[in-house]
PDB file of all heavy atoms in Angstrom:
ATOM      1  N   GLU A 186       6.290  31.014  37.768  1.00  0.00           N
ATOM      2  CA  GLU A 186       5.224  31.197  38.718  1.00  0.00           C
ATOM      3  C   GLU A 186       3.895  30.546  38.335  1.00  0.00           C
ATOM      4  O   GLU A 186       2.964  30.509  39.171  1.00  0.00           O
ATOM      5  CB  GLU A 186       4.984  32.693  38.926  1.00  0.00           C
ATOM      6  CG  GLU A 186       6.182  33.406  39.575  1.00  0.00           C
ATOM      7  CD  GLU A 186       5.940  34.861  39.827  1.00  0.00           C
ATOM      8  OE1 GLU A 186       4.920  35.373  39.314  1.00  0.00           O
ATOM      9  OE2 GLU A 186       6.761  35.493  40.514  1.00  0.00           O
ATOM     10  N   GLN A 187       3.762  29.996  37.119  1.00  0.00           N
ATOM     11  CA  GLN A 187       2.491  29.442  36.706  1.00  0.00           C
ATOM     12  C   GLN A 187       2.633  28.040  36.096  1.00  0.00           C
ATOM     13  O   GLN A 187       2.398  27.830  34.893  1.00  0.00           O
ATOM     14  CB  GLN A 187       1.802  30.369  35.695  1.00  0.00           C
ATOM     15  CG  GLN A 187       1.413  31.746  36.268  1.00  0.00           C
ATOM     16  CD  GLN A 187       0.856  32.659  35.197  1.00  0.00           C
ATOM     17  OE1 GLN A 187       1.561  33.160  34.344  1.00  0.00           O
ATOM     18  NE2 GLN A 187      -0.451  32.868  35.283  1.00  0.00           N
ATOM     19  N   PRO A 188       3.022  27.052  36.882  1.00  0.00           N
ATOM     20  CA  PRO A 188       3.245  25.712  36.385  1.00  0.00           C
ATOM     21  C   PRO A 188       2.044  25.075  35.643  1.00  0.00           C
ATOM     22  O   PRO A 188       2.224  24.242  34.774  1.00  0.00           O
ATOM     23  CB  PRO A 188       3.641  24.938  37.612  1.00  0.00           C
ATOM     24  CG  PRO A 188       4.173  25.928  38.575  1.00  0.00           C
ATOM     25  CD  PRO A 188       3.384  27.157  38.323  1.00  0.00           C
ATOM     26  N   SER A 189       0.857  25.509  36.031  1.00  0.00           N
ATOM     27  CA  SER A 189      -0.347  24.929  35.426  1.00  0.00           C
ATOM     28  C   SER A 189      -0.476  25.244  33.931  1.00  0.00           C
ATOM     29  O   SER A 189      -1.269  24.576  33.224  1.00  0.00           O
ATOM     30  CB  SER A 189      -1.620  25.419  36.150  1.00  0.00           C
ATOM     31  OG  SER A 189      -1.709  26.827  36.021  1.00  0.00           O
ATOM     32  N   LEU A 190       0.276  26.202  33.434  1.00  0.00           N
ATOM     33  CA  LEU A 190       0.177  26.607  32.039  1.00  0.00           C
ATOM     34  C   LEU A 190       0.919  25.664  31.085  1.00  0.00           C
ATOM     35  O   LEU A 190       0.669  25.673  29.906  1.00  0.00           O
ATOM     36  CB  LEU A 190       0.711  28.025  31.845  1.00  0.00           C
ATOM     37  CG  LEU A 190      -0.075  29.164  32.483  1.00  0.00           C
ATOM     38  CD1 LEU A 190       0.637  30.480  32.261  1.00  0.00           C
ATOM     39  CD2 LEU A 190      -1.503  29.213  31.952  1.00  0.00           C
ATOM     40  N   LEU A 191       1.871  24.858  31.628  1.00  0.00           N
ATOM     41  CA  LEU A 191       2.789  24.124  30.753  1.00  0.00           C
ATOM     42  C   LEU A 191       2.695  22.617  30.965  1.00  0.00           C
ATOM     43  O   LEU A 191       2.436  22.172  32.078  1.00  0.00           O
ATOM     44  CB  LEU A 191       4.225  24.604  30.956  1.00  0.00           C
ATOM     45  CG  LEU A 191       4.508  26.051  30.625  1.00  0.00           C
ATOM     46  CD1 LEU A 191       5.978  26.392  30.938  1.00  0.00           C
ATOM     47  CD2 LEU A 191       4.179  26.385  29.190  1.00  0.00           C
ATOM     48  N   GLU A 192       2.954  21.900  29.885  1.00  0.00           N
ATOM     49  CA  GLU A 192       3.016  20.436  29.910  1.00  0.00           C
ATOM     50  C   GLU A 192       4.297  19.963  29.253  1.00  0.00           C
ATOM     51  O   GLU A 192       4.624  20.449  28.159  1.00  0.00           O
ATOM     52  CB  GLU A 192       1.780  19.853  29.184  1.00  0.00           C
ATOM     53  CG  GLU A 192       1.731  18.364  29.178  1.00  0.00           C
ATOM     54  CD  GLU A 192       0.512  17.824  28.471  1.00  0.00           C
ATOM     55  OE1 GLU A 192      -0.392  18.601  28.146  1.00  0.00           O
ATOM     56  OE2 GLU A 192       0.470  16.558  28.226  1.00  0.00           O
ATOM     57  N   PHE A 193       4.991  19.030  29.899  1.00  0.00           N
ATOM     58  CA  PHE A 193       6.293  18.576  29.398  1.00  0.00           C
ATOM     59  C   PHE A 193       6.297  17.099  29.141  1.00  0.00           C
ATOM     60  O   PHE A 193       5.717  16.289  29.844  1.00  0.00           O
ATOM     61  CB  PHE A 193       7.398  18.890  30.378  1.00  0.00           C
ATOM     62  CG  PHE A 193       7.575  20.386  30.600  1.00  0.00           C
ATOM     63  CD1 PHE A 193       7.219  20.950  31.814  1.00  0.00           C
ATOM     64  CD2 PHE A 193       8.129  21.171  29.638  1.00  0.00           C
ATOM     65  CE1 PHE A 193       7.385  22.315  32.031  1.00  0.00           C
ATOM     66  CE2 PHE A 193       8.302  22.532  29.841  1.00  0.00           C
ATOM     67  CZ  PHE A 193       7.924  23.108  31.048  1.00  0.00           C
ATOM     68  N   TYR A 194       7.034  16.708  28.068  1.00  0.00           N
ATOM     69  CA  TYR A 194       7.400  15.325  27.760  1.00  0.00           C
ATOM     70  C   TYR A 194       8.891  15.295  27.830  1.00  0.00           C
ATOM     71  O   TYR A 194       9.596  16.026  27.095  1.00  0.00           O
ATOM     72  CB  TYR A 194       6.894  14.923  26.367  1.00  0.00           C
ATOM     73  CG  TYR A 194       7.256  13.540  25.985  1.00  0.00           C
ATOM     74  CD1 TYR A 194       6.325  12.483  26.160  1.00  0.00           C
ATOM     75  CD2 TYR A 194       8.490  13.200  25.435  1.00  0.00           C
ATOM     76  CE1 TYR A 194       6.657  11.187  25.803  1.00  0.00           C
ATOM     77  CE2 TYR A 194       8.839  11.912  25.084  1.00  0.00           C
ATOM     78  CZ  TYR A 194       7.884  10.894  25.265  1.00  0.00           C
ATOM     79  OH  TYR A 194       8.213   9.609  24.927  1.00  0.00           O
ATOM     80  N   HIS A 195       9.469  14.473  28.734  1.00  0.00           N
ATOM     81  CA  HIS A 195      10.900  14.575  29.080  1.00  0.00           C
ATOM     82  C   HIS A 195      11.528  13.182  29.144  1.00  0.00           C
ATOM     83  O   HIS A 195      11.087  12.379  29.970  1.00  0.00           O
ATOM     84  CB  HIS A 195      10.979  15.294  30.460  1.00  0.00           C
ATOM     85  CG  HIS A 195      12.358  15.468  30.975  1.00  0.00           C
ATOM     86  ND1 HIS A 195      12.597  15.730  32.321  1.00  0.00           N
ATOM     87  CD2 HIS A 195      13.575  15.401  30.391  1.00  0.00           C
ATOM     88  CE1 HIS A 195      13.884  15.853  32.502  1.00  0.00           C
ATOM     89  NE2 HIS A 195      14.503  15.634  31.338  1.00  0.00           N
ATOM     90  N   VAL A 196      12.490  12.929  28.304  1.00  0.00           N
ATOM     91  CA  VAL A 196      13.184  11.640  28.371  1.00  0.00           C
ATOM     92  C   VAL A 196      14.706  11.891  28.363  1.00  0.00           C
ATOM     93  O   VAL A 196      15.207  12.884  27.874  1.00  0.00           O
ATOM     94  CB  VAL A 196      12.831  10.714  27.155  1.00  0.00           C
ATOM     95  CG1 VAL A 196      11.374  10.302  27.249  1.00  0.00           C
ATOM     96  CG2 VAL A 196      13.152  11.358  25.851  1.00  0.00           C
ATOM     97  N   ILE A 197      15.419  10.926  28.980  1.00  0.00           N
ATOM     98  CA  ILE A 197      16.888  11.001  29.054  1.00  0.00           C
ATOM     99  C   ILE A 197      17.414   9.555  29.109  1.00  0.00           C
ATOM    100  O   ILE A 197      16.783   8.654  29.649  1.00  0.00           O
ATOM    101  CB  ILE A 197      17.318  11.772  30.305  1.00  0.00           C
ATOM    102  CG1 ILE A 197      18.872  11.887  30.367  1.00  0.00           C
ATOM    103  CG2 ILE A 197      16.792  11.150  31.593  1.00  0.00           C
ATOM    104  CD1 ILE A 197      19.469  12.835  29.370  1.00  0.00           C
ATOM    105  N   GLY A 198      18.566   9.348  28.495  1.00  0.00           N
ATOM    106  CA  GLY A 198      19.149   8.004  28.441  1.00  0.00           C
ATOM    107  C   GLY A 198      19.941   7.679  29.689  1.00  0.00           C
ATOM    108  O   GLY A 198      20.693   8.549  30.220  1.00  0.00           O
ATOM    109  N   GLN A 199      19.813   6.472  30.151  1.00  0.00           N
ATOM    110  CA  GLN A 199      20.573   6.017  31.342  1.00  0.00           C
ATOM    111  C   GLN A 199      22.052   5.978  31.131  1.00  0.00           C
ATOM    112  O   GLN A 199      22.834   5.962  32.092  1.00  0.00           O
ATOM    113  CB  GLN A 199      20.018   4.691  31.806  1.00  0.00           C
ATOM    114  CG  GLN A 199      18.592   4.734  32.349  1.00  0.00           C
ATOM    115  CD  GLN A 199      18.043   3.354  32.692  1.00  0.00           C
ATOM    116  OE1 GLN A 199      18.568   2.324  32.213  1.00  0.00           O
ATOM    117  NE2 GLN A 199      17.018   3.353  33.557  1.00  0.00           N
ATOM    118  N   ASP A 200      22.469   5.940  29.849  1.00  0.00           N
ATOM    119  CA  ASP A 200      23.910   5.903  29.547  1.00  0.00           C
ATOM    120  C   ASP A 200      24.492   7.288  29.234  1.00  0.00           C
ATOM    121  O   ASP A 200      25.643   7.394  28.820  1.00  0.00           O
ATOM    122  CB  ASP A 200      24.155   4.980  28.350  1.00  0.00           C
ATOM    123  CG  ASP A 200      23.781   3.521  28.657  1.00  0.00           C
ATOM    124  OD1 ASP A 200      23.844   3.141  29.845  1.00  0.00           O
ATOM    125  OD2 ASP A 200      23.447   2.788  27.713  1.00  0.00           O
ATOM    126  N   GLU A 201      23.712   8.335  29.450  1.00  0.00           N
ATOM    127  CA  GLU A 201      24.150   9.689  29.094  1.00  0.00           C
ATOM    128  C   GLU A 201      24.941  10.319  30.262  1.00  0.00           C
ATOM    129  O   GLU A 201      24.594  11.395  30.745  1.00  0.00           O
ATOM    130  CB  GLU A 201      22.963  10.554  28.681  1.00  0.00           C
ATOM    131  CG  GLU A 201      22.301  10.034  27.406  1.00  0.00           C
ATOM    132  CD  GLU A 201      21.298  11.050  26.836  1.00  0.00           C
ATOM    133  OE1 GLU A 201      21.734  12.203  26.555  1.00  0.00           O
ATOM    134  OE2 GLU A 201      20.122  10.681  26.655  1.00  0.00           O
ATOM    135  N   THR A 202      25.939   9.631  30.697  1.00  0.00           N
ATOM    136  CA  THR A 202      26.762  10.105  31.814  1.00  0.00           C
ATOM    137  C   THR A 202      28.118  10.699  31.376  1.00  0.00           C
ATOM    138  O   THR A 202      28.827  11.272  32.187  1.00  0.00           O
ATOM    139  CB  THR A 202      27.039   8.959  32.811  1.00  0.00           C
ATOM    140  OG1 THR A 202      27.626   7.878  32.093  1.00  0.00           O
ATOM    141  CG2 THR A 202      25.741   8.478  33.427  1.00  0.00           C
ATOM    142  N   ASN A 203      28.406  10.583  30.089  1.00  0.00           N
ATOM    143  CA  ASN A 203      29.706  11.089  29.581  1.00  0.00           C
ATOM    144  C   ASN A 203      29.502  11.523  28.131  1.00  0.00           C
ATOM    145  O   ASN A 203      30.115  10.948  27.177  1.00  0.00           O
ATOM    146  CB  ASN A 203      30.783  10.035  29.718  1.00  0.00           C
ATOM    147  CG  ASN A 203      32.186  10.612  29.582  1.00  0.00           C
ATOM    148  OD1 ASN A 203      32.443  11.721  30.006  1.00  0.00           O
ATOM    149  ND2 ASN A 203      33.108   9.813  28.997  1.00  0.00           N
ATOM    150  N   VAL A 204      28.674  12.500  27.885  1.00  0.00           N
ATOM    151  CA  VAL A 204      28.294  12.949  26.567  1.00  0.00           C
ATOM    152  C   VAL A 204      29.292  13.944  26.037  1.00  0.00           C
ATOM    153  O   VAL A 204      29.624  14.934  26.693  1.00  0.00           O
ATOM    154  CB  VAL A 204      26.886  13.593  26.589  1.00  0.00           C
ATOM    155  CG1 VAL A 204      26.523  14.143  25.206  1.00  0.00           C
ATOM    156  CG2 VAL A 204      25.849  12.564  27.053  1.00  0.00           C
ATOM    157  N   GLN A 205      29.782  13.703  24.806  1.00  0.00           N
ATOM    158  CA  GLN A 205      30.699  14.678  24.193  1.00  0.00           C
ATOM    159  C   GLN A 205      29.881  15.794  23.582  1.00  0.00           C
ATOM    160  O   GLN A 205      29.009  15.583  22.737  1.00  0.00           O
ATOM    161  CB  GLN A 205      31.564  14.023  23.103  1.00  0.00           C
ATOM    162  CG  GLN A 205      32.588  14.987  22.527  1.00  0.00           C
ATOM    163  CD  GLN A 205      33.607  14.288  21.634  1.00  0.00           C
ATOM    164  OE1 GLN A 205      33.405  13.143  21.243  1.00  0.00           O
ATOM    165  NE2 GLN A 205      34.693  14.976  21.300  1.00  0.00           N
ATOM    166  N   MET A 206      30.190  17.014  23.971  1.00  0.00           N
ATOM    167  CA  MET A 206      29.459  18.180  23.468  1.00  0.00           C
ATOM    168  C   MET A 206      30.193  18.820  22.298  1.00  0.00           C
ATOM    169  O   MET A 206      31.266  18.367  21.911  1.00  0.00           O
ATOM    170  CB  MET A 206      29.307  19.184  24.613  1.00  0.00           C
ATOM    171  CG  MET A 206      28.485  18.636  25.782  1.00  0.00           C
ATOM    172  SD  MET A 206      28.081  19.858  27.050  1.00  0.00           S
ATOM    173  CE  MET A 206      29.704  20.231  27.690  1.00  0.00           C
ATOM    174  N   THR A 207      29.520  19.785  21.684  1.00  0.00           N
ATOM    175  CA  THR A 207      30.093  20.356  20.457  1.00  0.00           C
ATOM    176  C   THR A 207      31.431  21.069  20.658  1.00  0.00           C
ATOM    177  O   THR A 207      32.187  21.253  19.710  1.00  0.00           O
ATOM    178  CB  THR A 207      29.064  21.358  19.852  1.00  0.00           C
ATOM    179  OG1 THR A 207      28.698  22.331  20.866  1.00  0.00           O
ATOM    180  CG2 THR A 207      27.835  20.646  19.331  1.00  0.00           C
ATOM    181  N   ASP A 208      31.727  21.466  21.909  1.00  0.00           N
ATOM    182  CA  ASP A 208      33.025  22.087  22.177  1.00  0.00           C
ATOM    183  C   ASP A 208      34.112  21.076  22.476  1.00  0.00           C
ATOM    184  O   ASP A 208      35.239  21.419  22.798  1.00  0.00           O
ATOM    185  CB  ASP A 208      32.917  23.108  23.323  1.00  0.00           C
ATOM    186  CG  ASP A 208      32.478  22.444  24.625  1.00  0.00           C
ATOM    187  OD1 ASP A 208      32.337  21.205  24.658  1.00  0.00           O
ATOM    188  OD2 ASP A 208      32.280  23.206  25.605  1.00  0.00           O
ATOM    189  N   GLY A 209      33.769  19.784  22.342  1.00  0.00           N
ATOM    190  CA  GLY A 209      34.742  18.738  22.577  1.00  0.00           C
ATOM    191  C   GLY A 209      34.792  18.239  24.014  1.00  0.00           C
ATOM    192  O   GLY A 209      35.434  17.187  24.285  1.00  0.00           O
ATOM    193  N   LYS A 210      34.217  18.948  24.940  1.00  0.00           N
ATOM    194  CA  LYS A 210      34.227  18.544  26.328  1.00  0.00           C
ATOM    195  C   LYS A 210      33.162  17.467  26.590  1.00  0.00           C
ATOM    196  O   LYS A 210      32.232  17.296  25.807  1.00  0.00           O
ATOM    197  CB  LYS A 210      33.963  19.746  27.231  1.00  0.00           C
ATOM    198  CG  LYS A 210      35.037  20.835  27.152  1.00  0.00           C
ATOM    199  CD  LYS A 210      34.691  22.011  28.049  1.00  0.00           C
ATOM    200  CE  LYS A 210      35.741  23.120  27.935  1.00  0.00           C
ATOM    201  NZ  LYS A 210      35.417  24.307  28.776  1.00  0.00           N
ATOM    202  N   PHE A 211      33.356  16.751  27.694  1.00  0.00           N
ATOM    203  CA  PHE A 211      32.377  15.701  28.042  1.00  0.00           C
ATOM    204  C   PHE A 211      31.592  16.165  29.294  1.00  0.00           C
ATOM    205  O   PHE A 211      32.094  16.804  30.188  1.00  0.00           O
ATOM    206  CB  PHE A 211      33.116  14.406  28.334  1.00  0.00           C
ATOM    207  CG  PHE A 211      33.703  13.758  27.091  1.00  0.00           C
ATOM    208  CD1 PHE A 211      34.937  14.175  26.582  1.00  0.00           C
ATOM    209  CD2 PHE A 211      32.988  12.776  26.409  1.00  0.00           C
ATOM    210  CE1 PHE A 211      35.465  13.604  25.442  1.00  0.00           C
ATOM    211  CE2 PHE A 211      33.526  12.205  25.261  1.00  0.00           C
ATOM    212  CZ  PHE A 211      34.738  12.625  24.782  1.00  0.00           C
ATOM    213  N   SER A 212      30.328  15.740  29.301  1.00  0.00           N
ATOM    214  CA  SER A 212      29.457  16.183  30.412  1.00  0.00           C
ATOM    215  C   SER A 212      28.472  15.075  30.757  1.00  0.00           C
ATOM    216  O   SER A 212      28.032  14.280  29.934  1.00  0.00           O
ATOM    217  CB  SER A 212      28.684  17.438  29.952  1.00  0.00           C
ATOM    218  OG  SER A 212      27.817  17.855  30.979  1.00  0.00           O
ATOM    219  N   ASP A 213      28.141  15.043  32.045  1.00  0.00           N
ATOM    220  CA  ASP A 213      27.100  14.148  32.552  1.00  0.00           C
ATOM    221  C   ASP A 213      25.746  14.798  32.337  1.00  0.00           C
ATOM    222  O   ASP A 213      25.435  15.834  32.944  1.00  0.00           O
ATOM    223  CB  ASP A 213      27.320  13.854  34.048  1.00  0.00           C
ATOM    224  CG  ASP A 213      26.204  13.089  34.701  1.00  0.00           C
ATOM    225  OD1 ASP A 213      25.325  12.527  33.952  1.00  0.00           O
ATOM    226  OD2 ASP A 213      26.160  12.995  35.936  1.00  0.00           O
ATOM    227  N   PHE A 214      24.937  14.227  31.461  1.00  0.00           N
ATOM    228  CA  PHE A 214      23.570  14.740  31.182  1.00  0.00           C
ATOM    229  C   PHE A 214      22.554  14.129  32.130  1.00  0.00           C
ATOM    230  O   PHE A 214      21.531  14.755  32.438  1.00  0.00           O
ATOM    231  CB  PHE A 214      23.174  14.477  29.731  1.00  0.00           C
ATOM    232  CG  PHE A 214      23.558  15.566  28.763  1.00  0.00           C
ATOM    233  CD1 PHE A 214      24.875  16.029  28.723  1.00  0.00           C
ATOM    234  CD2 PHE A 214      22.645  16.104  27.877  1.00  0.00           C
ATOM    235  CE1 PHE A 214      25.274  16.997  27.850  1.00  0.00           C
ATOM    236  CE2 PHE A 214      23.017  17.077  26.984  1.00  0.00           C
ATOM    237  CZ  PHE A 214      24.338  17.532  26.948  1.00  0.00           C
ATOM    238  N   LEU A 215      22.791  12.904  32.559  1.00  0.00           N
ATOM    239  CA  LEU A 215      21.758  12.162  33.300  1.00  0.00           C
ATOM    240  C   LEU A 215      21.466  12.827  34.659  1.00  0.00           C
ATOM    241  O   LEU A 215      20.285  13.032  34.988  1.00  0.00           O
ATOM    242  CB  LEU A 215      22.198  10.713  33.485  1.00  0.00           C
ATOM    243  CG  LEU A 215      21.254   9.838  34.283  1.00  0.00           C
ATOM    244  CD1 LEU A 215      19.879   9.741  33.653  1.00  0.00           C
ATOM    245  CD2 LEU A 215      21.851   8.392  34.416  1.00  0.00           C
ATOM    246  N   THR A 216      22.490  13.123  35.408  1.00  0.00           N
ATOM    247  CA  THR A 216      22.285  13.655  36.778  1.00  0.00           C
ATOM    248  C   THR A 216      21.526  14.999  36.737  1.00  0.00           C
ATOM    249  O   THR A 216      20.551  15.153  37.512  1.00  0.00           O
ATOM    250  CB  THR A 216      23.625  13.840  37.525  1.00  0.00           C
ATOM    251  OG1 THR A 216      24.258  12.548  37.603  1.00  0.00           O
ATOM    252  CG2 THR A 216      23.415  14.368  38.916  1.00  0.00           C
ATOM    253  N   PRO A 217      21.916  15.955  35.894  1.00  0.00           N
ATOM    254  CA  PRO A 217      21.132  17.210  35.841  1.00  0.00           C
ATOM    255  C   PRO A 217      19.702  16.998  35.359  1.00  0.00           C
ATOM    256  O   PRO A 217      18.773  17.712  35.807  1.00  0.00           O
ATOM    257  CB  PRO A 217      21.914  18.092  34.880  1.00  0.00           C
ATOM    258  CG  PRO A 217      23.299  17.493  34.868  1.00  0.00           C
ATOM    259  CD  PRO A 217      23.134  16.056  35.084  1.00  0.00           C
ATOM    260  N   ASN A 218      19.476  16.040  34.465  1.00  0.00           N
ATOM    261  CA  ASN A 218      18.113  15.789  34.018  1.00  0.00           C
ATOM    262  C   ASN A 218      17.260  15.189  35.116  1.00  0.00           C
ATOM    263  O   ASN A 218      16.071  15.475  35.209  1.00  0.00           O
ATOM    264  CB  ASN A 218      18.114  14.873  32.779  1.00  0.00           C
ATOM    265  CG  ASN A 218      18.167  15.650  31.480  1.00  0.00           C
ATOM    266  OD1 ASN A 218      17.154  16.022  30.897  1.00  0.00           O
ATOM    267  ND2 ASN A 218      19.421  15.915  31.006  1.00  0.00           N
ATOM    268  N   ARG A 219      17.880  14.392  35.982  1.00  0.00           N
ATOM    269  CA  ARG A 219      17.116  13.876  37.126  1.00  0.00           C
ATOM    270  C   ARG A 219      16.778  15.008  38.086  1.00  0.00           C
ATOM    271  O   ARG A 219      15.671  15.039  38.639  1.00  0.00           O
ATOM    272  CB  ARG A 219      17.968  12.804  37.836  1.00  0.00           C
ATOM    273  CG  ARG A 219      18.034  11.476  37.096  1.00  0.00           C
ATOM    274  CD  ARG A 219      18.982  10.475  37.752  1.00  0.00           C
ATOM    275  NE  ARG A 219      18.812   9.147  37.170  1.00  0.00           N
ATOM    276  CZ  ARG A 219      19.630   8.155  37.390  1.00  0.00           C
ATOM    277  NH1 ARG A 219      20.686   8.314  38.225  1.00  0.00           N
ATOM    278  NH2 ARG A 219      19.419   6.987  36.833  1.00  0.00           N
ATOM    279  N   LYS A 220      17.668  15.984  38.189  1.00  0.00           N
ATOM    280  CA  LYS A 220      17.381  17.159  39.052  1.00  0.00           C
ATOM    281  C   LYS A 220      16.242  17.971  38.415  1.00  0.00           C
ATOM    282  O   LYS A 220      15.350  18.447  39.155  1.00  0.00           O
ATOM    283  CB  LYS A 220      18.619  18.025  39.183  1.00  0.00           C
ATOM    284  CG  LYS A 220      19.707  17.422  40.046  1.00  0.00           C
ATOM    285  CD  LYS A 220      20.900  18.376  40.122  1.00  0.00           C
ATOM    286  CE  LYS A 220      22.037  17.798  40.975  1.00  0.00           C
ATOM    287  NZ  LYS A 220      23.202  18.715  41.007  1.00  0.00           N
ATOM    288  N   LEU A 221      16.263  18.100  37.090  1.00  0.00           N
ATOM    289  CA  LEU A 221      15.198  18.832  36.413  1.00  0.00           C
ATOM    290  C   LEU A 221      13.839  18.123  36.606  1.00  0.00           C
ATOM    291  O   LEU A 221      12.847  18.785  36.919  1.00  0.00           O
ATOM    292  CB  LEU A 221      15.528  18.923  34.901  1.00  0.00           C
ATOM    293  CG  LEU A 221      14.388  19.523  34.036  1.00  0.00           C
ATOM    294  CD1 LEU A 221      14.033  20.923  34.478  1.00  0.00           C
ATOM    295  CD2 LEU A 221      14.816  19.498  32.557  1.00  0.00           C
ATOM    296  N   HIS A 222      13.833  16.814  36.479  1.00  0.00           N
ATOM    297  CA  HIS A 222      12.578  16.064  36.683  1.00  0.00           C
ATOM    298  C   HIS A 222      12.068  16.243  38.114  1.00  0.00           C
ATOM    299  O   HIS A 222      10.856  16.473  38.316  1.00  0.00           O
ATOM    300  CB  HIS A 222      12.798  14.606  36.353  1.00  0.00           C
ATOM    301  CG  HIS A 222      11.628  13.745  36.804  1.00  0.00           C
ATOM    302  ND1 HIS A 222      10.362  13.938  36.307  1.00  0.00           N
ATOM    303  CD2 HIS A 222      11.555  12.728  37.685  1.00  0.00           C
ATOM    304  CE1 HIS A 222       9.525  13.058  36.877  1.00  0.00           C
ATOM    305  NE2 HIS A 222      10.236  12.317  37.684  1.00  0.00           N
ATOM    306  N   ALA A 223      12.977  16.150  39.072  1.00  0.00           N
ATOM    307  CA  ALA A 223      12.550  16.313  40.470  1.00  0.00           C
ATOM    308  C   ALA A 223      11.945  17.693  40.697  1.00  0.00           C
ATOM    309  O   ALA A 223      10.978  17.856  41.436  1.00  0.00           O
ATOM    310  CB  ALA A 223      13.747  16.073  41.408  1.00  0.00           C
ATOM    311  N   LEU A 224      12.553  18.704  40.062  1.00  0.00           N
ATOM    312  CA  LEU A 224      12.077  20.047  40.233  1.00  0.00           C
ATOM    313  C   LEU A 224      10.716  20.249  39.565  1.00  0.00           C
ATOM    314  O   LEU A 224       9.826  20.896  40.117  1.00  0.00           O
ATOM    315  CB  LEU A 224      13.092  21.031  39.683  1.00  0.00           C
ATOM    316  CG  LEU A 224      12.822  22.524  39.843  1.00  0.00           C
ATOM    317  CD1 LEU A 224      12.634  22.879  41.317  1.00  0.00           C
ATOM    318  CD2 LEU A 224      13.963  23.343  39.241  1.00  0.00           C
TER     319      LEU A 224
END
Side-chain angles (χ1 to χ4, degrees):
E186 296 181 349
Q187 296 176 288
S189 62
L190 293 178
L191 298 178
E192 180 180 350
F193 296 109
Y194 180 96
H195 179 198
V196 295
I197 182 72
Q199 293 176 339
D200 297 332
E201 296 191 57
T202 55
N203 196 34
V204 176
Q205 184 171 13
M206 299 188 293
T207 52
D208 60 4
K210 297 179 181 178
F211 289 84
S212 179
D213 173 12
F214 272 50
L215 179 58
T216 301
N218 269 271
R219 285 175 170 168
K220 290 181 181 178
L221 173 60
H222 169 59
L224 184 57

